[in-house]
Amino acid sequence: MPFSPFTQLSEKDLLIELSVTRRGLSEAEAAKRLAANGPNELTLHRVRPWQILLRQFASPFVYLLLAAAVLAVVLGELIDAIVIAVIVGVNAVLGFVQESRSEQALEKLRNFIISYVRVLRGGEEQTVDRRQIVRGDVAIVETGDIVPADIRLIEAENLVVDESPLTGESVPIHKVGEALSRIETEAYKASNIVFSNTRIMSGRGLGLVIDTGRETVMGSVARLSVETERESTFAQGISRLSAFVLRLILITLAVVFLANLILKQGSVDLFDLLLFSIALAVSVIPEALPVVTTMSLSHGAMELAKKSVVVRRLSAIEDLGSIEVLCSDKTGTLTENHLNVAAVLAKDEEDCLFIAAIASSFLGEKKALPNNSFDLGLWEHLSLAARKELAQYKRSKEIPFDPRTRLNSVTIHGKGRAECIIRGAPEEVMDACGDVTPGKRKEVMAWMALAGRRGERTIAVASTKNEGGKPEFVGAISFVDSLKKSAKQTVREAKELGVQLKILTGDSREVAGAVAHDVGLVATPEEVMTGEELYALSPKEQGRAVKKYHVFARMSPEQKFGAIALLKKTAAVGFLGEGINDAPALKMANVGLVVQGASDVARDAADIVLLKRSLRVIVGGIKEGRSVFSNSLKYIKATLASNFGNFYALVISMFFIDVLPMLPIQILLLNLLTDSPMIAIATDRVEASEVARPRRYNIREIVLATTVLGIVSAAFDLLFFFIYHNHPTEVLQTNWFIGSVLTELVFIFSIRSARPFWRAISPSRPLIGFSLLALTVALIIPFTFPGTMFFRFQSPSIQMMMVNIGVVLAYFVTTELAKLIMGRVSKRFTKQRIAAHA
């Protein structure tokens, strides 16, 4: 049953509704209800090792590779099948090890200490495991308790609750034990209900459990999170790329097979032709892409770990690099989540602050610090001498803060001083005072309005020295949740990276707007829309509003979830949260991020866990994700262009000679040698321009690069063919093999940067090392016994080697020119597209 009807029920009606008395349930009735409704807990999803392992095979490219391996086995090509299986296996192991470590690190962060709650059973107070409480239990909550279930209060003594894990409201909420005058449907307005997983900051409460487990407000939020499936931007891009490669391969092979049958007719050996076609297909597939991506992601995860970031899903790093919109609750990410004194309106500011501090809830207690955010702000603002002076006062006749009167009062004694101090909402305090003139009221209200526009919260203080006399107005104090020192710089850096920051918070319009204005997110504090206002619009207007506005206040979990869904229609979205109320939005976003202290429900829905509360860490993660993307894209372009160049050259040459231009085992060796430096691309350095803007897999861009550079590659491969086609078959195959390896190696160093080769950032050491190793093997193996015996090479002459090197140098110069021309054309089209949209 929703909590809202309980807000207006009287104590008598509440007891009737829940079939219980003030003495609580009997043990037998409690056991009966526990058996019927189940324990008071949420079954959170835990990722098992076998699930992590299976996740490594959930890739379209892996499916493509496995299909090729199966076909190779059917045709008797076991070596091909084994190599493919090894590549897939290495990728799975790398991904499994990294993601398992991340999950183990998170398990250490989880706190599974069993908590207990005090209840009345049969008129006797008992302490029971929170999982054993049931609907209708009479529960007791006190300072420091985590509320075990949704509880409708019937008694509340100075009860203050931190509801930020649920509502996002950063200011503690005062609770009451009486029925409300009307039914409240919003959690932050239900002042007589304490919700599961919120924290009691001070006071004591007695109430009846109205919902447990999955039926609580927290439970409904958790269900929404579980029912939402995240769609990875990375997976979408890889899926589109896989479909493109597969279609291109199948169409080309079909044309090759049919053309050979038609043109060569009876001279064709069908088995050899089919075997050659399979070798060609395997040579075109960028089989090392899973390994390259996993190594890049693992490297990125280790770099982020040094910055106190735990990555749960490796591909989330690349997703993080692609985000165009980052949504966050301001509390604890942009601000310190801690109130400080901002300004004082009083004749004597120091006296006003001291009198306000005397009335603090911690005075006379043994606690070193108060647990009320306003009191803590006052305490920290006082000088050391003033703090010592406070210890000389005692408190009596305290009337706790009442949400209806918006006042609290206390009588204090000390240093020959006895007076009653009133604190609370300035309007109410001024009404109680006898010395506030209309002019003074106007001055205070204007000061409050200005403070409100700055996102500050205000209280007023009054005191009376004569018993029964009218209080005298002392002054007003404003408090602010200060920005983090890095907040403004972080927002600027996000803008420079092309990431639009948006605030989705449960806080008030004024506070959210002021914070957003202070960090430079909006031009004026008024540029704020509430969740209620957003969902009063038509669906079409909602889509426009989530793009136009950057700050949304008073957002419920469902509203945050909906806003993320709207934003995802046109952009890749990241969401940073921590509370239970954030879990659905975390799951809906392309990338979900939480802070270390997040609830289990939120952490379970997230991809990345921040051990430090800072947006700056996320900005660093975005750069890391874009580096991973850049290196993956380098590999894709390099391998597809090279492979398709070889593919087309081999296919064309088949129509001019009756033998295979390169043996299947030679094609396999070619792939093995060139894949090592290709894989080392994962460690390559990245140009600053590559991480400057959000990027996704652009199939058109990849097709253009593959086509143009593939044609260049094919032309030079055919040049090798025409140079050596009159030589013996072994000579042709050997020199074509050497030329193919060398052209692929120099091509890597050309395609790795959009800038001219001599102006590009220096390559990584692993890339240089593996390239030199592949070069050495390619040049030496034709002169060795294994090369001539197993791979059927014939040692080339020195003249042939000089010709090969000359052709390779010409190829390198041509690819550089083609790359630079494509870059200029691409920039021109991009500028035209931007101008057209503008």
Side-chain angles (χ1 to χ4, degrees), residues 193-271:
I193 294 180
V194 287
F195 295 97
S196 176
N197 264 63
T198 58
R199 181 184 295 273
I200 307 298
M201 297 189 69
S202 66
R204 179 183 184 279
L206 179 74
L208 281 78
V209 175
I210 56 176
D211 279 312
T212 61
R214 292 172 61 86
E215 300 306 313
T216 61
V217 171
M218 184 195 86
S220 65
V221 172
R223 284 200 305 276
L224 183 57
S225 172
V226 170
E227 292 164 2
T228 303
E229 291 295 330
R230 176 181 288 111
E231 190 173 18
S232 167
T233 306
F234 170 75
Q236 292 171 5
I238 290 295
S239 181
R240 290 195 301 271
L241 182 63
S242 302
F244 158 70
V245 173
L246 184 59
R247 283 196 301 269
L248 195 57
I249 290 172
L250 292 177
I251 292 171
T252 307
L253 286 181
V255 171
V256 170
F257 199 82
L258 292 173
N260 272 273
L261 289 177
I262 294 170
L263 296 176
K264 295 189 176 182
Q265 298 181 358
S267 63
V268 176
D269 184 322
L270 288 178
F271 180 78

Side-chain angles (χ1 to χ4, degrees), residues 484-515:
K484 287 188 172 176
K485 293 180 181 178
S486 62
K488 291 184 179 180
Q489 178 63 26
T490 301
V491 171
R492 281 197 297 271
E493 289 178 4
K495 286 181 179 179
E496 290 169 2
L497 289 172
V499 177
Q500 178 60 62
L501 180 64
K502 291 182 184 286
I503 293 176
L504 308 182
T505 181
D507 259 333
S508 69
R509 178 196 295 270
E510 294 77 16
V511 172
V515 170

